[in-house]
């Protein structure tokens, strides 16, 4: 999956501040009178500023790139055992979003209705896996998580329709769905 990140002026401001912190740390490391501490100080300043830069990019993305989802609908296609999600994503922020990703999580709630047998929670391991090749033939996952890129280069105020589909497990009975949208 290709990750496209568009920087706006907030990214550059924060990265410039972190660059000044890095330069200040390097200068203070070389001015150190105890020469044994120069290399550890350089490593520490490098690690701290790299972590600050990574964290700040995520935080700035969260508060400047605001995707919203509207008219989300799903339909099951029983003949081919797939589920289709359709909807519209819109950029509610003031900055362009490079990639809009939607995460769909389906959780089988069969255990709440009493439809789950003991085998759905117990996954055999060890001796049986050695002879079955670890193929997980008996294991049926109760949670499915899928991610899809539904829009790219979404300008402020722009909206795009999307349609995604994936396989529907036939043993799912009563399903809870959780949809999360992310913009980068």
């Amino acid at each position: 999956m290709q990750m496209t990140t568009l920087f706006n002026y907030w990214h550059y401001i924060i990265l410039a501040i972190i660059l000044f912190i890095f330069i200040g740390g390097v200068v203070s490391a070389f001015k150190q009178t105890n020469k044994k501490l120069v290399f550890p100080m350089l490593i520490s300043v490098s690690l701290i500023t790299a972590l600050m830069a990574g964290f700040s990019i995520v935080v700035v993305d969260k508060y400047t790139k605001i995707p919203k989802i509207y008219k989300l609908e799903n339909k099951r296609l029983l003949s081919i055992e797939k589920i289709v999600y359709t909807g519209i994503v819109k950029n509610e922020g003031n900055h362009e979003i490079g990639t809009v990703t939607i995460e769909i999580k389906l959780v089988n709630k069969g255990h709440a209705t009493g439809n789950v047998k003991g085998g759905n929670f117990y996954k055999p391991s060890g001796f049986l896996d050695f002879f079955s090749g670890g193929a997980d033939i008996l294991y049926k996952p109760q949670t499915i998580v899928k991610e899809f890129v539904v829009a790219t280069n979404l300008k402020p105020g722009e909206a795009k329709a999307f349609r995604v589909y994936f396989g529907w497990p036939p043993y799912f009975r009563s399903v809870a769905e959780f949809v999360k949208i992310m913009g980068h």
Side-chain angles (χ1 to χ4, degrees):
M1 181 172 86
Q2 182 182 1
M3 182 65 75
T4 305
T5 302
L6 295 177
F7 281 8
N8 55 45
Y9 58 87
W10 288 109
H11 289 96
Y12 294 117
I13 291 170
I14 296 295
L15 291 177
I17 292 170
I18 292 172
L19 179 65
F20 285 127
I21 293 171
F22 176 74
I23 291 170
V26 169
V27 168
S28 67
F30 282 118
K31 286 186 176 182
Q32 184 67 271
T33 56
N34 187 353
K35 296 302 177 190
K36 290 182 181 177
L37 295 178
V38 172
F39 184 70
M41 284 181 69
L42 288 176
I43 297 295
S44 297
V45 167
S46 299
L47 288 175
I48 289 170
T49 54
L51 287 173
M52 285 173 57
F55 182 71
S56 67
I57 288 172
V58 172
V59 170
V60 169
D61 274 353
K62 179 177 174 141
Y63 289 106
T64 61
K65 299 178 180 182
I66 308 168
K68 297 281 183 180
I69 192 164
Y70 297 99
K71 297 183 181 180
L72 181 67
E73 296 178 0
N74 64 14
K75 293 181 184 173
R76 285 180 52 194
L77 305 173
L78 296 176
S79 61
I80 58 173
E81 291 185 351
K82 293 204 180 277
I83 188 165
V84 178
Y85 280 86
T86 58
I88 298 171
V89 291
K90 183 177 180 184
N91 184 354
E92 297 283 334
N94 296 326
H95 302 283
E96 185 175 353
I97 300 176
T99 304
V100 178
T101 307
I102 186 171
E103 179 184 277
I104 301 171
K105 180 178 181 180
L106 300 178
V107 179
N108 189 13
K109 295 191 309 183
H111 65 280
T113 60
N115 293 336
V116 174
K117 297 182 176 83
N120 288 346
F121 289 114
Y122 172 71
K123 180 181 181 250
S125 62
F127 188 72
L128 184 59
D129 278 348
F130 179 74
F131 288 107
S132 69
D136 290 336
I137 296 169
L138 301 174
Y139 178 64
K140 294 180 180 179
Q142 300 300 313
T143 302
I144 294 176
V145 179
K146 299 285 185 180
E147 279 191 9
F148 303 96
V149 174
V150 294
T152 56
N153 300 328
L154 204 59
K155 307 261 187 260
E158 185 180 5
K160 287 187 180 177
F162 69 90
R163 178 186 312 181
V164 296
Y165 60 93
F166 56 93
W168 176 268
Y171 57 88
F172 271 29
R173 296 291 173 246
S174 177
V175 177
E177 68 178 44
F178 304 95
V179 178
K180 185 166 76 171
I181 189 166
M182 298 157 286
H184 298 287

